[in-house]
Amino acid sequence: MAKSHIEFVCQQCGAIYKNWTGRCNKCGAWSSLIQQFDESSRDEKSAVGRGQMSGKQLDFVSIRDLEISDEKERLPTGFHDLDIVLGGGILPGSVMLLAGQPGIGKSTILMQICAHIADNAKVLYVSGEESAGQVKLRAIRLGAESDNLKFASSTSANDIAKTIEESDFDLVVVDSIQTLTLAEIASAPGGVSQVTNCGNLIIRAAKTSNTAVIIVGHVTKEGTLAGPKVLEHLVDVVLNFEGDRYGGFKIIRAIKNRFGSTSEAAIFEMNREGLAEVENPSAALLAERQNTDGSIILATLEGTRPILVEIQALVTPTNFGYPKRTASGYDLNRLNLLIAVIERRTKLKLSDKDVFINVVGGLKVQDSAADLAICLAIASAVAGRKLSEDFVVFGEVGLGGEIRSAFRPDQRISEAKKLGFAHAIAPATVKDEFVVPVKDLRNTLIDYVNE
């Protein structure tokens, strides 16, 4: 019988150590090593030798002779935009991983999806975190009471996998992977070994029985998916649930999708009936806008969907030796870079001023075409001069102060026209009568926001 070994496994990267150390030498994480027992021998030579002797030659065929099996009809989620994110709905036999911050609405939207699919298919909701009473109260609130929607409470990955294999459910939801344990592993729930092996077992059961499975995953305080990275490689689709847990819009985007695009996004808002799709997010974001200095309307994209969002800037004299820069919904490093470009390429001095940037509505803007809107908002706040209400802005700003082209300008312009805007301050490369062309940052600030 193989001798039992004690080892220490990093919960961030999976590195294995014989002795405990305060810091993982591989990923640099502190206090991430957890003790666990390895019941198998760690003699790599004997393991390789046994594997070589037990292997057999594979049966292979020509790529021309491969047959494509008929794809079964996808399961609609009940949310049109979410179906687009998934590539047309939930594919039978697929395994999806949904990750998001605590309280953002993961369990709510999953219950709504289960309720919609249960009208025409059999669904099982497995909870390892909440009691039956808690799930029942949510189901009543969301109107998810159906005979086809079943519930089970378990933290055993062995039992869940067996249920998936031997039952005829069309969809199984597992909430969440960090609470599951495999009986053959002695480590605590949520550890690298438990998450990896529990995920592997459930994925095998899903593929064997052609059952669609949605697994809920936790996130770390940095916002990344908790657990080993191998879990993201094992599943077919990884969905990231973003937004402010206390209000504002919430966005679901696919960061990995074997069956569709990763450039789409679904936008939701929370109400008493659960999560609802936002049909016209641009109008909702601009409904309470007051045209003051430092306020600029940006034509941006969420995936391939055009959205108009308000960028607000506040510039005040600093009371300390080091000026403060703060950004909400925008990358702080990019903001510092744009401030350096403004100071170097124009006559605007910001070294003695605090700069605050806010993206209204709780959205996180990662579009490079937001550069020009950020610069105009800062200059407008410094000069105390408002930009005309008829303008929207988009364009990338280079280090030389030049205004560069933006991705899909026609969609941005079309969205601005729908909401009644008259002009767009945009790169000169965009050929449209709607566009007021600009080539460099200095002349743009002189023409529109300088005193």
Side-chain angles (χ1 to χ4, degrees):
M1 185 174 179
K3 185 179 179 181
S4 176
H5 292 265
I6 297 178
E7 60 187 14
F8 297 87
V9 181
C10 175
Q11 302 302 292
Q12 298 295 327
C13 65
I16 300 174
Y17 298 87
K18 292 184 178 180
N19 300 309
W20 186 88
T21 59
R23 181 175 182 268
C24 175
N25 295 327
K26 187 174 181 180
C27 67
W30 289 91
S31 302
S32 63
L33 300 189
I34 301 297
Q35 176 181 319
Q36 69 179 34
F37 294 92
D38 180 17
E39 303 296 339
S40 62
S41 173
R42 303 204 59 83
D43 186 353
E44 296 184 1
K45 291 184 179 180
S46 62
V48 172
R50 292 195 303 269
Q52 185 178 10
M53 295 299 295
S54 62
K56 64 178 182 179
Q57 184 176 352
L58 297 174
D59 297 328
F60 47 85
V61 296
S62 171
I63 193 75
R64 296 177 179 270
D65 299 331
L66 293 178
E67 296 182 358
I68 301 176
S69 59
D70 295 333
E71 183 178 303
K72 291 187 177 181
E73 185 177 354
R74 292 175 181 256
L75 300 173
T77 62
F79 298 102
H80 177 264
D81 291 342
L82 184 56
D83 288 338
I84 294 176
V85 171
L86 295 174
I90 300 175
L91 188 68
S94 64
V95 180
M96 292 175 289
L97 179 64
L98 176 64
Q101 296 180 357
I104 197 171
K106 299 186 298 296
S107 299
T108 298
I109 196 169
L110 287 177
M111 184 61 71
Q112 291 179 261
I113 293 173
C114 290
H116 179 79
I117 295 178
D119 291 338
N120 302 300
K122 296 184 64 176
V123 181
L124 174 63
Y125 191 102
V126 182
S127 176
E129 297 181 349
E130 299 176 304
S131 65
Q134 291 174 302
V135 176
K136 174 66 174 179
L137 290 174
R138 181 183 298 112
I140 294 174
R141 178 171 61 88
L142 300 175
E145 296 177 287
S146 172
D147 292 336
N148 285 336
L149 177 55
K150 310 297 182 181
F151 171 79
S153 179
S154 175
T155 58
S156 171
N158 308 69
D159 298 343
I160 295 173
K162 196 69 173 179
T163 304
I164 294 174
E165 287 182 354
E166 297 186 353
S167 304
D168 58 345
F169 290 105
D170 298 287
L171 173 66
V172 175
V173 174
V174 180
D175 187 6
S176 66
I177 188 67
Q178 275 79 14
T179 63
L180 301 187
T181 58
L182 198 64
E184 291 75 14
I185 299 178
S187 60
V192 172
S193 298
Q194 288 285 11
V195 171
T196 303
N197 289 282
C198 289
N200 247 318
L201 188 63
I202 292 175
I203 291 170
R204 288 184 182 181
K207 300 299 182 181
T208 302
S209 60
N210 200 32
T211 303
V213 175
I214 301 178
I215 301 174
V216 178
H218 296 168
V219 296
T220 63
K221 60 183 179 181
E222 291 83 13
T224 59
L225 187 66
K229 199 71 175 178
V230 68
L231 182 62
E232 298 180 47
H233 293 284
L234 291 173
V235 299
D236 300 311
V237 180
V238 179
L239 299 176
N240 196 20
F241 208 160
E242 305 171 355
D244 187 357
R245 58 183 295 189
Y246 300 108
F249 290 157
K250 297 170 174 56
I251 301 174
I252 294 181
R253 64 176 87 245
I255 59 178
K256 174 189 176 181
N257 193 352
R258 290 174 177 165
F259 315 118
S261 172
T262 57
S263 62
E264 301 291 346
I267 303 176
F268 299 89
E269 61 180 350
M270 183 71 78
N271 53 40
R272 295 182 61 183
E273 290 75 28
L275 286 163
E277 286 182 307
V278 180
E279 299 295 336
N280 192 343
S282 299
L285 289 170
L286 302 181
E288 300 177 352
R289 186 212 177 193
Q290 296 180 356
N291 189 21
T292 60
D293 59 275
S295 174
I296 301 293
I297 302 301
L298 165 67
T300 185
L301 294 174
E302 276 294 341
T304 58
R305 185 175 187 177
I307 296 178
L308 300 188
V309 60
E310 181 183 1
I311 303 293
Q312 292 180 332
L314 180 64
V315 179
T316 60
T318 182
N319 295 319
F320 304 97
Y322 187 79
K324 186 176 183 179
R325 281 79 168 89
T326 304
S328 175
Y330 191 73
D331 182 43
L332 183 59
N333 292 327
R334 187 67 180 177
L335 174 61
N336 288 326
L337 184 147
L338 293 176
I339 291 175
V341 172
I342 292 173
E343 288 194 317
R344 179 66 179 86
R345 302 303 176 186
T346 70
K347 295 182 179 180
L348 201 59
K349 299 302 179 184
L350 301 172
S351 58
D352 59 345
K353 295 180 175 61
D354 295 334
V355 179
F356 304 89
I357 295 293
N358 178 44
V359 180
V360 176
L363 295 180
K364 294 183 180 180
V365 175
Q366 300 175 343
D367 187 6
S368 60
D371 292 353
L372 184 57
I374 296 292
C375 293
L376 284 175
I378 294 173
S380 172
V382 173
R385 181 177 175 184
K386 299 184 292 185
L387 188 67
S388 172
E389 294 183 354
D390 297 332
F391 286 99
V392 297
V393 179
F394 64 90
E396 182 180 355
V397 176
L399 295 183
E402 73 277 10
I403 309 299
R404 296 179 173 270
S405 59
F407 181 62
R408 296 192 175 181
D410 52 337
Q411 293 189 7
R412 303 172 194 259
I413 293 171
S414 177
E415 183 72 9
K417 289 180 179 178
K418 289 179 182 178
L419 293 179
F421 288 89
H423 302 287
I425 300 177
T429 54
V430 182
K431 306 301 180 182
D432 193 292
E433 295 180 355
F434 186 80
V435 171
V436 178
V438 291
K439 293 184 177 180
D440 63 273
L441 182 60
R442 183 173 182 274
N443 289 326
T444 304
L445 298 188
I446 292 175
D447 294 340
Y448 294 101
V449 295
N450 267 13
E451 294 179 309

